[in-house]
């Protein structure tokens, strides 16, 4: 089945949208890329980077004639977006998105989608802490998963065509129910972000002297939390507001497990702590085996060799070789 599209419309052009534009162009998956943003400065940046062919502040104009439309805005903006673009959607087009919450997407979009348009929500599970048009790169999706959550009424051929589009950009594709997706992502993504925001927020509340020491002596654990906590604040605000039930369910389980761990530390229960850490280490190794991380030292992060300080050699009187 051909995964080629005549016109791709991207509504929003941050990290994910710009990466789609670059990857789709590289793989020859689309003829025309149309980009719509809310802010003129974002649109100008996308134009300077050459991410598309058509640039507009009018989302309806962007989707006219498009056979693939992908919403790449924070999920909180979806209602306004669909109201703007619905009258201009092309019969036979696929309407998708990249949000990390899917139940909310279906609820907000489904009633507005015109007959003949296939709504196939999507979630590429890939990203960095950077945002904006310049943050994108075409390899972002390589080896990562993209989850699609089409309704039962969607033509299977349309779902397969969109799946092929993501595969061509390097993704592995999984199709699942929207509610199941939200529960899985609540524990694998949303709760880790919430924990990271909380830990880094605790440091922000420390006295200045202590805070500076924490930053100065940050070991890999805290450093990695700060990477997660640097993610786009608007996007993650919307994630927690729109996936509230699943997040609260998983947060409850997390809190219960944290209480067990707290009790083990308080009572000096070494065997319980070691058993827990052994189980979690096995999860880490499973992620590496699944190809979702690297076993390289320090998780494969690049390091620069620190410069050697230019310290003059001290020569003592009395002769002898320099040490």
């Amino acid at each position: 089945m051909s995964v080629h599209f005549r016109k791709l419309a991207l509504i929003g052009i941050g990290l994910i949208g710009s990466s789609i534009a670059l990857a789709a162009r590289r793989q020859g998956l689309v003829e025309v890329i149309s980009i719509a943003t809310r802010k003129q400065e974002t649109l100008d940046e996308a134009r300077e980077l050459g991410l598309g062919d058509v640039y507009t502040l009018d989302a309806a104009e962007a989707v006219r004639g498009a056979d693939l439309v992908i919403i790449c805005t924070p999920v909180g903006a979806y209602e306004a977006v669909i109201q703007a673009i619905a009258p201009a959607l092309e019969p036979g087009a696929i309407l998708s998105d990249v949000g990390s919450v899917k139940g909310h997407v279906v609820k907000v979009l489904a009633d507005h989608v015109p007959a003949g348009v296939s709504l196939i929500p999507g979630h590429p599970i890939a990203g960095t802490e950077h945002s904006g048009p310049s943050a994108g790169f075409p390899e972002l999706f390589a080896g990562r998963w993209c989850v699609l959550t089409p309704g039962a009424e969607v033509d299977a051929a349309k779902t397969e065509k969109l799946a092929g589009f993501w595969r061509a950009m390097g993704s592995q594709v999984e199709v699942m129910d929207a509610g199941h997706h939200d529960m899985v992502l609540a524990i694998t993504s949303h709760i880790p972000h919430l924990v990271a925001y909380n830990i880094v927020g605790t440091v922000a509340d420390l006295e200045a002297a202590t805070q500076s020491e924490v930053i100065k002596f940050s070991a890999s654990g805290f450093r990695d939390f700060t990477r997660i906590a640097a993610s786009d604040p608007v996007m993650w605000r919307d994630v927690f507001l729109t996936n509230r039930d699943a997040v609260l369910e998983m947060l409850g389980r997390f809190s219960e497990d944290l209480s067990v761990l707290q009790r083990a530390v308080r009572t000096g229960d070494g065997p319980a702590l070691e058993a827990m850490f052994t189980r979690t280490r096995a999860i880490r190794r499973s992620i590496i085996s699944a190809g979702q991380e690297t076993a390289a030292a320090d998780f494969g992060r690049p390091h620069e060799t620190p410069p050697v300080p230019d310290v003059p050699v001290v020569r003592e009187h009395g002769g002898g070789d320099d040490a």
Side-chain angles (χ1 to χ4, degrees), residues 13-51:
I13 195 71
L15 167 67
I16 301 296
S18 58
S19 295
I20 292 173
L22 293 167
R25 182 76 80 199
R26 172 186 282 186
Q27 298 302 323
L29 302 177
V30 298
E31 294 177 25
V32 175
I33 297 176
S34 177
I35 295 172
T37 66
R38 186 172 57 88
K39 296 180 180 179
Q40 183 65 53
E41 54 265 38
T42 308
L43 196 66
D44 291 341
E45 184 179 353
R47 182 184 286 108
E48 290 171 6
L49 292 167
L51 297 176

Side-chain angles (χ1 to χ4, degrees), residues 270-285:
L273 292 172
E274 185 175 349
M276 170 103 173
F277 302 157
T278 299
R279 286 169 49 215
T280 58
R281 190 181 193 187
I283 294 292
R284 169 67 189 171
R285 289 173 172 173

Side-chain angles (χ1 to χ4, degrees), residues 222-243:
F222 181 72
R223 180 199 64 200
D224 291 342
F225 274 121
T226 63
R227 180 188 61 79
I228 297 173
S231 300
D232 187 283
V234 174
M235 181 186 80
W236 282 98
R237 175 202 66 192
D238 289 352
V239 166
F240 291 119
L241 292 178
T242 56
N243 199 29

Side-chain angles (χ1 to χ4, degrees), residues 241-304:
L241 292 178
T242 56
N243 199 29
R244 183 184 296 116
D245 292 343
V247 167
L248 289 175
E249 168 66 23
M250 290 302 175
L251 190 58
R253 297 189 187 194
F254 175 80
S255 298
E256 292 168 3
D257 291 340
L258 185 60
S259 295
V260 172
L261 193 59
Q262 181 181 20
R263 186 179 304 111
V265 172
R266 180 186 296 115
T267 60
D269 190 343
L273 292 172
E274 185 175 349
M276 170 103 173
F277 302 157
T278 299
R279 286 169 49 215
T280 58
R281 190 181 193 187
I283 294 292
R284 169 67 189 171
R285 289 173 172 173
S286 296
I287 291 173
I288 294 172
S289 297
Q292 296 303 299
E293 181 57 285
T294 174
D298 202 16
F299 305 145
R301 292 178 178 84
H303 293 273
E304 295 181 0

Side-chain angles (χ1 to χ4, degrees), residues 89-155:
L89 289 171
E90 184 90 355
I94 294 173
L95 173 62
S96 191
D97 78 304
V98 298
S100 63
V101 175
K102 298 275 73 86
H104 173 79
V105 168
V106 173
K107 182 169 65 175
V108 169
L109 299 185
D111 289 343
H112 298 278
V113 177
V117 174
S118 299
L119 173 60
I120 308 175
H123 177 203
I125 305 175
T128 72
E129 71 269 32
H130 304 296
S131 57
S134 62
F137 54 99
E139 302 85 6
L140 179 64
F141 312 113
R144 301 304 176 192
W145 285 96
C146 180
V147 178
L148 303 180
T149 62
E153 75 287 353
V154 174
D155 183 354

Side-chain angles (χ1 to χ4, degrees), residues 203-215:
V203 170
D205 291 337
L206 294 174
E207 294 181 2
T210 304
Q211 183 187 112
S212 65
E213 290 178 337
V214 170
I215 294 172

